[in-house]
Amino acid sequence: MLLLATAYTIYILLQFEGFSLLLDGDIEGLRAMMEDNLLSTIFFTLLFMVIQNAVSVIPLILIVTINVLFFGFAYGYVWSFFTSVIGCIITFLVVRFWLQDFFMDKLNETIQKKIEENGTFFVFISRLVPVAPTSLINIASAVSTVSFKQYLIGTLFGNMIYIFFLSLIPLGLMSAEVEKFVLILIAIIAIPLFLYRKKLRFAKVKAKATNE
């Protein structure tokens, strides 16, 4: 049933010219088709990102490139990051509350065990070093016992960094504007990670003291 629904969804999307152009990597053709309609651009780039996080039939770099070309580096990066998180959340919630039983037997036990043991850190690293499709990370996390909070934190920081560097690719080089964003991004990432690590250390010390 699920496979039929997925196949039907892909079939419908293939009838849409913009989706076909995206799969073919024809960025200029897609840009020419959508540049006169901002609302359509916003809607379809969001739709593409949600699909990418659910079934990963669209290369993430293509979606990020389109956003940067349409909206410029700053807005393109922010929109890519925002829509990627939305796509991750939708996939996670759908699988956890409606499709968990379906995927439970199909998930590799080794991956599931690593996710459950490392939680936020595993999701974060998986986002930075995409050894597996985005959809697999989302589904595996939803099937595991990782809490939504752990998943969201790892996704936020992981996608923030990974999509930032993907956004640099269409530019071809580092500009002054990009350098400012690098500094801001480092500050945004470093401070929460420092506080989170400090919180974990405090929890471990407290647990050790309690046991003694």
Side-chain angles (χ1 to χ4, degrees):
M1 185 67 179
L2 179 63
L3 293 177
L4 289 176
T6 301
Y8 181 72
T9 300
I10 294 175
Y11 172 77
I12 294 298
L13 288 170
L14 286 174
Q15 308 311 305
F16 170 59
E17 183 183 357
F19 187 74
S20 299
L21 291 173
L22 181 62
L23 289 179
D24 293 337
D26 188 356
I27 304 299
E28 290 303 320
L30 184 61
R31 182 178 186 179
M33 186 190 74
M34 301 175 67
E35 64 183 358
D36 295 329
N37 195 326
L38 179 61
L39 291 179
S40 293
T41 300
I42 291 174
F43 172 76
F44 283 112
T45 51
L46 172 59
L47 178 63
F48 292 153
M49 191 66 83
V50 172
I51 294 172
Q52 198 278 335
N53 278 278
V55 292
S56 293
V57 295
I58 308 173
L60 181 59
I61 180 59
L62 285 181
I63 305 175
V64 174
T65 298
I66 289 172
N67 288 336
V68 172
L69 290 177
F70 277 129
F71 306 116
F73 174 76
Y75 292 115
Y77 163 67
V78 171
W79 181 241
S80 297
F81 169 65
F82 174 76
T83 53
S84 71
V85 173
I86 293 298
C88 289
I89 291 175
I90 291 175
T91 303
F92 180 90
L93 294 178
V94 168
V95 173
R96 172 149 294 187
F97 292 107
W98 287 289
L99 300 174
Q100 191 172 44
D101 292 338
F102 176 83
F103 287 106
M104 184 68 74
D105 297 332
K106 297 174 176 57
L107 181 65
N108 185 290
E109 293 184 3
T110 301
I111 295 178
Q112 184 175 352
K113 185 177 180 181
K114 288 183 178 180
I115 295 175
E116 293 176 350
E117 289 178 348
N118 299 283
T120 298
F121 183 73
F122 182 87
V123 176
F124 173 71
I125 294 300
S126 297
R127 300 297 187 195
L128 290 179
V129 186
V131 294
T134 305
S135 57
L136 179 59
I137 299 172
N138 298 331
I139 293 172
S141 299
V143 172
S144 71
T145 59
V146 170
S147 69
F148 176 72
K149 180 180 178 181
Q150 291 176 309
Y151 170 79
L152 183 59
I153 292 175
T155 296
L156 284 172
F157 289 110
N159 281 13
M160 185 184 298
I161 299 172
Y162 184 59
I163 289 180
F164 175 80
F165 286 104
L166 287 184
S167 299
L168 297 177
I169 295 176
L171 300 181
L173 49 83
M174 291 280 285
S175 64
E177 180 185 12
V178 174
E179 290 177 4
K180 293 179 181 178
F181 267 82
V182 170
L183 296 176
I184 295 174
L185 185 62
I186 291 174
I188 292 175
I189 295 170
I191 294 174
L193 284 179
F194 173 77
L195 294 176
Y196 181 71
R197 185 177 181 183
K198 190 174 181 180
K199 180 181 178 181
L200 289 179
R201 287 185 176 180
F202 177 77
K204 289 181 179 179
V205 171
K206 185 177 181 180
K208 184 177 181 181
T210 302
N211 294 331
E212 292 177 352

